Amino acid sequence: MKFLDQAKIYVRSGDGGAGSVSFRREKYIEYGGPDGGDGGRGGDVFVECVEGLNTLIDYRFHQHFKAKTGMHGMGRNRSGGKGDDVVLKVPVGTEILEEDNETVIADLTEPGQRLLLLKGGNGGFGNAHFKSSTNQAPRHANPGLQGEEKWIWLRLKLIADVGLVGMPNAGKSTLLAAVSAARPKIADYPFTTLHPNLGVVEIDGRGFVLADIPGLIEGAHDGIGLGDRFLGHVERTRTLLHLVDGTQEDPGEAYRVVRGELEAYGHGLAEKPEVVALTKVDALSDEIRAEKAAELEAACGQPPLQLSSTSGENVDRTLRMLIRAIDKDREVEASQVPQVPDEPWHP
């Protein structure tokens, strides 16, 4: 199934049904009078967050959604029924934005969340509603109110605990395949990964979700390469695992390029906790490995892990460091939640 993380769709709620103009005329009944019923309300448009979906591909070929018009009123004081609603089902982590693709309407991050996006139009009053002592035979009724309409953007941001960042061919997909059941495409050329991949990692009885996104190159925030649009999938992560290819000429420069793209993207990515690892060390001699690690440490300000997904060197150590970083972030998050003081008890 093709991965799609962004879609623009048109939604419209239903119009209200029209009220009825009707008069009671029955044999052997002395008094008649107006008996036109009210129109029904138009259908609403809802957005519901559901489990079991991980892409917006359903909105690739079906982009217009319209709720039904309410039933019109009828004689004998019969009111029209409500129009059918439209329910848009989206994956967990979907943002709903206005047509400008910037203003956020809602962010659905929990299964079962349901948003009333557009409300259907009210039904019109029938002529029975307008009868009075001075107007005993009203011959008019109200039309139903029109529904609302708009274009919206759906943008999916994956829910993961750890995000993998780095330049193309830094070994991100290889690590994901080594530590989880995910099977991303792996090849010896840049931009093998064209869309994000998720994997569930388990170690020491603990588990977390790891997200792999396409590689970043210098100028990605200006659209060079695959751009930086996939960075949205690591916005929700608790920590980043920054992989730097140890076989390239200047690991320090590669680190600075990716950090520059994270800062240019914004949205708090540059402030997230980060674990830095020098990858593919199994292909380096001890002397070159020490030299590359020193260059990377000078750039990032911390001793990098020396990692090989192929041989398994330091893989478990890396996962344990990520578990500690996740736990620390959760503790910080819990400490920032305002505590509600207990109310004094009065007998």
Side-chain angles (χ1 to χ4, degrees), residues 25-178:
R25 291 187 180 90
E26 297 181 48
K27 194 175 182 180
Y28 305 121
I29 294 180
E30 182 177 1
Y31 298 104
D35 66 350
D38 300 336
R41 193 162 65 86
D44 303 322
V45 177
F46 293 93
V47 183
E48 184 176 358
C49 185
V50 299
E51 293 182 307
L53 295 178
N54 55 14
T55 175
L56 296 172
I57 191 66
D58 293 341
Y59 302 100
R60 173 65 178 85
F61 302 105
H62 185 190
Q63 299 168 339
H64 293 76
F65 298 87
K66 300 178 182 179
K68 297 295 184 181
T69 300
M71 296 290 292
H72 300 312
M74 294 173 283
R76 299 184 181 178
N77 291 309
R78 290 176 291 178
S79 298
K82 182 180 182 299
D84 293 337
D85 298 330
V86 164
V87 180
L88 307 176
K89 295 186 177 182
V90 298
V92 176
T94 301
E95 281 185 342
I96 305 164
L97 302 100
E98 296 283 4
E99 188 176 3
D100 60 7
N101 206 8
E102 294 182 358
T103 307
V104 177
I105 300 173
D107 190 3
L108 306 180
T109 58
E110 297 290 338
Q113 284 183 309
R114 190 178 174 99
L115 168 71
L116 174 58
L117 186 61
L118 296 178
K119 193 174 181 180
N122 288 327
F125 290 134
N127 68 335
H129 187 85
F130 299 101
K131 64 183 179 182
S132 67
S133 60
T134 58
N135 186 10
Q136 298 183 8
R139 298 183 179 275
H140 68 279
N142 285 346
L145 296 180
Q146 290 188 343
E148 303 171 309
E149 61 180 353
K150 65 168 58 180
W151 284 90
I152 61 170
W153 283 93
L154 302 177
R155 183 191 298 164
L156 174 61
K157 294 181 179 179
L158 298 177
I159 305 293
D161 298 302
V162 179
L164 286 173
V165 296
M167 298 190 77
N169 273 19
K172 301 185 297 298
S173 297
T174 304
L175 176 63
L176 181 65

Side-chain angles (χ1 to χ4, degrees), residues 324-347:
R324 289 197 294 270
I326 292 170
D327 290 342
K328 184 176 180 180
D329 184 73
R330 285 174 176 163
E331 291 174 2
V332 172
E333 184 180 63
S335 66
Q336 293 175 348
V337 176
Q339 300 294 325
V340 179
D342 295 333
E343 295 184 1
W345 181 78
H346 297 286

Side-chain angles (χ1 to χ4, degrees), residues 28 93 96 106 137 147 171 186 196 248 251 275 299:
Y28 305 121
I96 305 164
I186 300 172
Q248 61 186 344
V275 175

